[in-house]
Amino acid sequence: MDKMFRPEALDLYEKMLDFAARRHKVIANNIANINTPGFQRSDLEFADELTRALRDRGVAGVKDLRLRLTKPNTTAVRNDGNNVNVDVEMASLAENAILYQIYAQLLARRFNQIRNILKEA
Amino acid sequence: MAGSAFSSFDISASGMTAERLRMNVIAHNIANINTTRTEEGGPYKRREVIFEEVLADAQRELDGLIGDVGAGVRVVDVVRDTVTEGAKRYVPGHPDADEDGMVMMPNVDPVMEMLDMINASRGYEANVMAISAAKQMILKALDI
């Protein structure tokens, strides 16, 4: 019974939602600066960090996980020194929005489970 | 508002504002493609907008995030292009013609302006896409 209400799982989903919302901001900023000369795109890769923290320290490790903003130089630099690629950003945007919706769905289901148990009790 | 769920709207809106202003400047350039008189004298000189990245304030450390977090873009200046040479046209009857009958035309290149226009319009659309993705996410969060 204790496990069902274990708030740790909720913490994890909440954290994932938060990360996805932050990543959206980073991508939105890249898109806003698509025509700014010299601008270097940044990204927030949280999937790997999250997996590592979970594996090493469990949900507790996720709680105080601090994300680092990276400046990946994997895209071609244009003549004006800007390396924002609209296709890459659009793909990240779509991917991130879907991930966010998945996390929201997972969280909603967990709440539903708890609600069902309360109803049956 | 730095930590708010809606602050990504501000980021995308700054991009839309900047691209729209750029579009206005392009329209101004095209409108003046044949202007031979200006207040400062001589033919019209094409305008160019200067974009600059805006960084978020110190709030980011509290947010549990390390690194320079961007907060959008802004137009810092609209400058005259005085480097590009305009064409000369032989119109002896023109009041602005010199003694050889040549009139200095503006340095506006229609092809370049059209390219900039497509660029600005695509940039604007990309920002709109970012806003609709954010809207989807927030609406989904309401379902929890």
Side-chain angles (χ1 to χ4, degrees), chain B residues 25 28-29 32 35-38 40-48 78-86 104-108 113:
Chain B
V25 170
H28 185 66
N29 285 342
N32 284 290
T35 306
T36 53
R37 281 178 201 185
T38 50
E40 72 267 14
Y44 174 80
K45 299 260 184 264
R46 66 180 293 270
R47 305 287 203 277
E48 183 90 61
V78 180
V79 294
R80 285 189 177 83
D81 175 2
T82 49
V83 180
T84 315
E85 283 282 313
M104 284 295 291
M105 297 305 288
N107 56 358
V108 181
E113 299 303 328

Side-chain angles (χ1 to χ4, degrees), chain A residues 18-74:
Chain A
D18 183 41
F19 288 162
R22 279 175 204 284
R23 181 155 187 245
H24 177 83
K25 267 186 228 172
V26 174
I27 300 167
N29 186 55
N30 289 342
I31 294 172
N33 283 289
I34 202 158
N35 286 318
T36 308
F39 176 81
Q40 298 291 303
R41 71 180 290 267
S42 31
D43 205 344
L44 201 61
E45 297 284 1
F46 63 89
D48 293 345
E49 295 257 358
L50 202 68
T51 318
R52 202 173 309 123
L54 265 178
R55 193 189 51 215
D56 296 349
R57 300 184 47 210
V59 180
V62 176
K63 252 190 214 170
D64 42 30
L65 178 65
R66 285 170 82 81
L67 292 180
R68 193 172 287 277
L69 208 64
T70 55
K71 290 201 181 289
N73 49 2
T74 46

Side-chain angles (χ1 to χ4, degrees), chain A residues 22 29 35 67 69 101 105, chain B residues 19 63 66 68 72 140:
Chain A
R22 279 175 204 284
N29 186 55
N35 286 318
L67 292 180
L69 208 64
Q101 297 187 30
Q105 189 77 48
Chain B
E19 298 294 355
D63 284 355
I66 308 157
D68 280 337
K140 191 69 192 177

